Amino acid sequence: AEVLDRALDALIRQLEQRKLAATSRPRSRPGRPSPNPRHIPAEVRRAVWARDGGQCTYVGAAGRRCEARSPLEFDHAEPVARGGRATAENLRLRCRAHNQYDAERTFGTGFMSRKREERREAAEQARLAAAERSRAMAAAQAREAVAEVIPWLRSLGLRADEARWAAESCEARPGASLEQRVRMALSRFAQPRHGRAVRIPPARAVE
C-alpha cells in the first residue's frame, strides 16, 4: 500500500508539471512570448489553477457551481477567435462538458459539430499516416535484413536466385543478428523445394 501511494503521488506530480506547469522554483521573469495565440504561459496556468481551486468555474442558473475537478481545461472567456488573449484575467477552469457547452452557445451547435468532425477526421488521417509510416519502416527493415544476408550466401557458392530465395526467409525477423539470419536462410535448404531436397553447401563462419 505504501509503494502504491508513493507511485500515485509521483504520477500526480508528473501530471501537474505537464498540465499545470507546477514547480517548486518558478521563474522570476516571464518566458519569451509564443507566436501561437492559444499557447498559455506556465505562470498563467499556475495562477489560474490556484485562483479557481482546481475546480470547474461554471455556475448554473440556480447559482450552484460545478463540482467537477477532472477532466479540466483552460477556457478563454473571450475566445481566441475573437481576439481573446491567454491572460489570467481571460482564462478560467472548465470541465470538458461545460467548455463545450459555452462554445456551442458562443459559436452555435452546427459550427461546433463541424469542428469536432474535422478534428476526428484529422485524427484519423494522422493515425492512418502513422500506420503507413510504420508499415514502410517495417518493409525497409525487412528488405535490409534480406540484402545483408545475400552476399554471405553468395560467398558460400550459391547462385544469385538461390541466395535471394533463401534470404527471403529473413524478412520475418529483421531484428535478428546477421549470423542468425544467415543460419535461418541456410536452414531453408533443408526443406523440400520444387518437390526435391536442396543440398546445403559447406558453411563458413560468419564474422
Side-chain angles (χ1 to χ4, degrees):
E2 183 179 354
V3 172
L4 179 59
D5 287 342
R6 291 183 180 181
L8 291 175
D9 289 341
L11 178 59
I12 290 172
R13 285 195 297 271
Q14 291 177 0
L15 293 174
E16 287 178 343
Q17 290 172 356
R18 186 173 67 226
K19 188 175 180 64
L20 310 174
T23 178
S24 59
R25 295 187 299 176
R27 292 181 179 179
S28 58
R29 64 182 62 182
R32 181 179 302 177
S34 171
N36 181 4
R38 295 188 178 277
H39 171 74
I40 303 174
E43 62 272 12
V44 174
R45 280 183 284 167
R46 288 192 292 267
V48 173
W49 185 269
R51 183 198 65 203
D52 295 345
Q55 180 180 340
C56 177
T57 59
Y58 180 84
V59 178
R64 182 178 178 182
R65 179 179 176 179
C66 175
E67 298 179 355
R69 293 185 176 273
S70 66
L72 295 179
E73 301 173 345
F74 289 94
D75 175 48
H76 292 74
E78 181 68 19
V80 174
R82 296 182 177 178
R85 300 176 59 192
T87 61
E89 294 75 21
N90 191 48
L91 287 169
R92 58 200 176 184
L93 289 178
R94 287 289 167 88
C95 65
R96 182 161 300 177
H98 283 129
N99 195 0
Q100 292 293 315
Y101 174 69
D102 278 340
E104 290 181 354
R105 289 200 306 175
T106 301
F107 297 104
T109 303
F111 177 84
M112 293 305 300
S113 296
R114 288 194 300 272
K115 284 295 183 181
R116 283 191 288 268
E117 183 62 27
E118 289 173 1
R119 284 196 294 269
R120 281 193 292 267
E121 291 177 356
E124 178 63 15
Q125 291 176 358
R127 186 190 67 81
L128 293 175
E132 182 60 29
R133 287 194 299 270
S134 179
R135 285 193 294 268
M137 183 178 298
Q141 291 175 342
R143 290 194 298 269
E144 184 177 355
V146 170
E148 287 180 344
V149 170
I150 291 176
W152 289 96
L153 299 181
R154 293 282 286 155
S155 71
L156 297 175
L158 296 179
R159 299 193 311 270
D161 61 329
E162 290 178 329
R164 165 63 63 177
W165 172 78
E168 287 174 354
S169 63
C170 303
E171 291 183 345
R173 293 186 59 191
S177 68
L178 177 58
E179 181 178 355
Q180 289 173 330
R181 281 179 277 139
V182 171
R183 291 180 180 275
M184 190 187 311
L186 290 175
S187 68
R188 197 173 188 188
F189 284 95
Q191 305 170 6
R193 183 187 182 197
H194 304 308
R196 61 185 178 86
V198 180
R199 181 181 62 86
I200 301 179
R204 294 202 297 268
V206 177
E207 298 180 356

